[in-house]
Amino acid sequence: MTKDQDIIPQLQRLLAADQLLTSEDDKAYYTKGFRVGKGQALAVAIPQTLMELWQVLQACVTCDKIILMQAANTGVTGGSTPDGSDYDRDIVIISTRRIKGVQVIDSAQQVIAFPGSTLTELENALKPHHKEPHSVIGSSCIGASVIGGVCNNSGGSLIRRGPAFTEKSLFAQINLDGSLSLVNHLGVDLGDTPEEMITRLEQQQYTTGVAADWQGKIWADDYASILRDVGADTPTRYNGNVQYLHDSAGSAGKIAVFAVRLSTFDASDKTATFYIGTNQESELVALRRYLLENLDELPLQAEYIHRNAFDLTVTYAKHMYWAINRLGPEALPSLMAGKAKWDLRVKKLRILPRNFVDKVLQLANNLTPKMVAKRLLDYRDRYEHHLMIKAETRHAAQLQQLLTRFFSTQSGEFFRCDDREEKDAFLVRFGVGGCTISYCDYYAIDPDKRLIAFDVALRRNDTQWRIDLPPELQAQVQEDSCCGHFFCFVNHQDYILKPGVDAGAFKHQVLAYLDQRGARYPAEHNVGHLYQASDEYELHMRHLDPTNSCNPGIGKTSKRKFWQ
């Protein structure tokens, strides 16, 4: 292992003082995952340009350091942070959050996004062109990056567009002989040397529009037809699906991505959202099949919330959806970083409980109203299962007609949301992702030991939606939260276990049950350090990173050099 002083002076020459973090307090925000995962790192480097990123990578390779690329650190499987302290080399985390930039090209039909660009930034860049990116809500609420989504094959909530995917990117790769290369697969001529490529890309000194530019996919354009095949006994999307592994897509940090080229989509002028409630899960499963088979056009979104998730969110994560509503999703990353700093200050004081900040947040939550439209709260009281379907207004009449016909013989109900109800429904839905973390923080529960999350892609012809635990496993659960992308049959299930429960044994038994149902996991949050990568997925990683120097250990693979 190379000594620390070999790399730190080099990075100090490349970066300003606030771009290189070496103290434990300063590194803490980057070494701990949003939901799970934490470990040790020698340093955190925060380049501000693509050229600085290239130079930092060169220094890390020269000094034989592990490179851990990190964008917004919003992952929920710990895949963008170190995992423990049992690596065979020092780790340098490279945060790309300051390398902003979105280039709108080809009459706004496509974009080239830089490493630090967020989904919110991309959405705002496209609004003047009446265009939308692949994903417009969901993880964008916590500042998720565009490239992070591509690297993880993130699914998102938009039904027609499938997982984040492109075959066109610019990326740095460590070769088998230990050399570092910059590979240009963007489909535009940027020159020959890394320095020339970076300069021409940053200054947008290239041309597009020729036929060669359009060779290669820039989105999962076959996803809608896959989704409509409701009789198939395989899922619609899952991580490690070889269909969506290509260069940066699904790379999971095994290469350093400088830019991706993506498609844009026509924005919807007006939308209509229908809110559905039922106490029968089977009704929703039948409704999904009925609508996928009979709708002329697929809706935009179909999002599920279980009553438990609704309750946990409006109780413990109210501050998150309030912040999104009042300040916009772009404000959340800085708010989260600020909270992390206050957590460290409280920890140093020792006279206050470690979760003091969370106690204060929950006090505010308890003293303020739920801030959710009355009719949604009424459905919460009456129904266990909640589904919201958003469609373009021009397709709303057919959707309403089919819903009316379906529920004429069922026990559930639906209503068409007004503007306030539509906004509140989706704010609550996308606050669900943080509700179990907020619960754990408030009660000082270690999520690494007691929070078990499942990100599951169910078979398209499955007749069940929920994970049906046997009584002996259900008895081990203190709280549970379930939400999901319902038409895609992607289920997000969180369990907070009771004290003393063997979390490993619990997870093993649930995964065995999911295997029996023919499910695949994870569906869209990447394998991280929670899931075992499939043989096909590990082969893809080995091809991208033959020396195992970038994010080793991902997918429970080897952490050692050359995959030993």
Side-chain angles (χ1 to χ4, degrees), residues 232-443:
D233 62 357
T234 56
T236 56
R237 66 182 194 223
Y238 56 91
N239 283 128
N241 182 353
V242 294
Q243 183 176 357
Y244 298 123
L245 298 179
H246 187 95
D247 289 350
S248 61
S251 57
K254 303 303 288 183
I255 53 178
V257 184
F258 281 57
V260 293
R261 186 169 175 175
L262 301 166
S263 181
T264 66
F265 304 86
D266 292 335
S268 303
D269 287 321
K270 294 182 179 180
T271 61
T273 293
F274 296 89
Y275 199 93
I276 298 157
T278 180
N279 289 312
Q280 303 297 323
E281 174 190 319
S282 58
E283 282 187 9
L284 290 187
V285 175
L287 175 64
R288 171 183 173 272
R289 176 182 283 263
Y290 176 71
L291 293 179
L292 284 175
E293 289 179 333
N294 289 282
L295 281 170
D296 294 335
E297 292 288 339
L298 291 177
L300 300 171
Q301 295 171 278
E303 293 297 304
Y304 170 90
I305 309 178
H306 187 266
R307 178 190 280 158
N308 291 352
F310 189 106
D311 289 346
L312 288 170
T313 301
V314 299
T315 303
Y316 295 99
K318 186 196 307 177
H319 58 287
M320 291 189 67
Y321 68 74
W322 180 90
I324 296 166
N325 183 36
R326 291 298 183 91
L327 305 175
E330 61 273 12
L332 224 55
S334 60
L335 292 175
M336 290 165 58
K339 178 184 177 296
K341 290 180 180 178
W342 275 105
D343 284 338
L344 282 171
R345 290 168 183 162
V346 169
K347 181 181 177 182
K348 287 180 177 180
L349 287 176
R350 299 181 183 274
I351 60 174
L352 295 173
R354 297 180 65 176
N355 62 340
F356 176 76
V357 177
D358 298 285
K359 293 282 188 182
V360 173
L361 286 172
Q362 294 311 319
L363 177 62
N365 285 343
N366 291 334
L367 294 176
T368 55
K370 291 184 172 67
M371 295 177 284
V372 177
K374 183 179 182 302
R375 197 153 45 159
L376 271 61
L377 294 174
D378 175 60
Y379 263 50
R380 177 263 162 230
D381 294 338
R382 295 167 56 199
Y383 296 115
E384 178 182 359
H385 306 284
H386 299 243
L387 178 65
M388 55 206 74
I389 303 178
K390 179 185 286 189
E392 290 157 316
T393 302
R394 64 180 183 272
H395 302 139
Q398 186 193 29
L399 176 55
Q400 184 162 355
Q401 182 184 47
L402 290 173
L403 288 172
T404 301
R405 185 183 305 165
F406 180 86
F407 282 107
S408 65
T409 59
Q410 306 292 335
S411 61
E413 292 183 275
F414 76 94
F415 64 87
R416 183 167 176 167
C417 296
D418 61 27
D419 291 344
R420 162 76 189 280
E421 291 165 339
E422 177 180 297
K423 181 184 70 173
D424 287 358
F426 282 96
L427 280 173
V428 172
R429 164 61 186 90
F430 295 110
V432 172
C435 72
T436 50
I437 284 295
S438 294
Y439 180 96
C440 288
D441 288 342
Y442 178 62
Y443 290 106

Side-chain angles (χ1 to χ4, degrees), residues 148-184:
V150 172
C151 293
N152 291 327
N153 279 152
S154 299
S157 65
L158 298 181
I159 293 171
R160 306 173 190 170
R161 301 175 193 176
F165 176 75
T166 184
E167 294 180 355
K168 291 180 177 291
S169 59
L170 176 71
F171 59 93
Q173 183 175 35
I174 301 175
N175 305 306
L176 184 59
D177 63 1
S179 61
L180 182 69
S181 299
L182 189 62
V183 181
N184 178 17

Side-chain angles (χ1 to χ4, degrees), residues 25-262:
D25 286 355
D26 290 340
K27 292 184 294 182
Y29 176 72
Y30 301 87
T31 55
K32 186 178 186 300
F34 169 68
R35 179 175 293 194
V36 297
K38 56 186 175 182
Q40 299 176 355
L42 175 64
V44 177
I46 313 175
Q48 296 186 137
T49 66
L50 294 179
M51 192 65 75
E52 285 184 352
L53 172 59
W54 173 250
Q55 292 168 341
V56 169
L57 288 170
Q58 286 180 308
C60 291
V61 171
T62 299
C63 294
D64 194 27
K65 301 302 181 187
I66 287 174
I67 297 167
L68 204 162
M69 301 297 299
Q70 186 182 98
N73 193 16
T74 59
V76 296
T77 58
S80 57
T81 53
D83 179 47
S85 57
D86 57 339
Y87 294 86
D88 63 345
R89 292 150 288 168
D90 293 320
I91 296 174
V92 175
I93 296 173
I94 303 178
S95 171
T96 62
R97 61 193 313 138
R98 295 188 189 178
I99 311 177
K100 303 289 188 181
V102 172
Q103 297 177 353
V104 180
I105 61 173
D106 290 327
S107 302
Q109 296 179 75
Q110 299 182 6
V111 295
I112 292 178
F114 285 14
S117 59
T118 65
L119 294 174
T120 301
E121 180 187 351
L122 178 55
E123 184 180 355
N124 291 337
L126 291 175
K127 277 181 181 178
H129 304 280
H130 203 59
K131 289 281 190 174
E132 291 178 345
H134 168 267
S135 182
V136 297
I137 197 169
S139 54
S140 59
C141 290
I142 50 176
S145 72
V146 177
I147 285 182
V150 172
C151 293
N152 291 327
N153 279 152
S154 299
S157 65
L158 298 181
I159 293 171
R160 306 173 190 170
R161 301 175 193 176
F165 176 75
T166 184
E167 294 180 355
K168 291 180 177 291
S169 59
L170 176 71
F171 59 93
Q173 183 175 35
I174 301 175
N175 305 306
L176 184 59
D177 63 1
S179 61
L180 182 69
S181 299
L182 189 62
V183 181
N184 178 17
H185 287 171
L186 273 177
V188 293
D189 183 10
L190 296 173
D192 300 318
T193 68
E195 291 75 16
E196 185 181 9
M197 293 181 197
I198 291 168
T199 300
R200 289 178 60 177
L201 176 61
E202 288 183 325
Q203 297 178 4
Q204 208 163 344
Q205 294 178 349
Y206 56 82
T207 58
T208 63
V210 298
D213 288 351
W214 296 89
Q215 295 174 3
K217 285 188 174 186
I218 52 174
W219 71 290
D221 54 12
D222 57 349
Y223 186 71
S225 60
I226 293 173
L227 191 64
R228 284 191 185 270
D229 187 4
V230 293
D233 62 357
T234 56
T236 56
R237 66 182 194 223
Y238 56 91
N239 283 128
N241 182 353
V242 294
Q243 183 176 357
Y244 298 123
L245 298 179
H246 187 95
D247 289 350
S248 61
S251 57
K254 303 303 288 183
I255 53 178
V257 184
F258 281 57
V260 293
R261 186 169 175 175
L262 301 166

